[in-house]
Amino acid sequence: MESQNGKWDANMFNDDDYISTYTDQQAIEDGVLVAVQAWGLSFNGTVIDRMTTTLYEHMLGMANETENKFDFIKHLISERLTNAYDPDGDGYLIVIPEKGTEERLWLVQNERNNYTLMFPSDY
């Protein structure tokens, strides 16, 4: 549902309106999300604590055999975050533009009021 200002309003539903829910913990256990809070990444003071497995595996494949893969991914994300922007100004969806051959990425606010990093197609 949209509110009067045309934006999604998550407060318009109550618990009785949901058929089912898929929790963060279930997504991690199922391998849909990767917990990355230990990397210490953030955008505008909000922690990036999840990444989709699709994006994580893509970035792992970009690292060469001699690099520390986690340091490589952390550096790559940090570098890309310098061009990130909030198109609606509400902090819900942050766009990280394409860079060279690398696709656009999104930071989406998650159920813990942190961010999940993903390809737009992962949404």
Side-chain angles (χ1 to χ4, degrees):
M1 285 187 173
E2 290 184 7
S3 66
Q4 291 179 357
N5 65 5
K7 293 188 178 193
W8 176 260
D9 184 356
N11 297 320
M12 296 179 84
F13 294 100
N14 62 45
D15 289 341
D16 295 333
D17 294 326
Y18 294 101
I19 296 170
S20 68
T21 59
Y22 190 63
T23 67
D24 172 73
Q25 188 60 40
Q26 289 170 316
I28 290 172
E29 290 169 3
D30 291 347
V32 174
L33 294 178
V34 177
V36 297
Q37 66 271 10
W39 294 356
L41 295 168
S42 65
F43 179 77
N44 286 349
T46 301
V47 174
I48 301 168
D49 66 348
R50 299 293 185 261
M51 176 187 291
T52 60
T53 300
T54 305
L55 178 57
Y56 178 75
E57 289 176 352
H58 172 79
M59 289 185 165
L60 276 179
M62 294 172 60
N64 67 42
E65 295 300 318
T66 60
E67 292 178 294
N68 177 306
K69 293 183 186 302
F70 300 114
D71 287 344
F72 172 80
I73 293 172
K74 183 178 172 180
H75 175 76
L76 184 61
I77 294 168
S78 295
E79 186 178 86
R80 298 274 313 268
L81 284 171
T82 60
N83 295 317
Y85 63 95
D86 183 352
D88 294 328
D90 60 6
Y92 178 77
L93 172 71
I94 307 302
V95 176
I96 304 170
E98 299 88 353
K99 182 176 180 186
T101 60
E102 285 301 304
E103 295 178 50
R104 174 189 320 213
L105 302 176
W106 284 355
L107 288 174
V108 179
Q109 193 175 58
N110 57 40
E111 66 186 48
R112 288 164 321 290
N113 292 317
N114 292 321
Y115 284 123
T116 299
L117 182 63
M118 65 183 67
F119 287 118
S121 59
D122 292 335
Y123 189 77

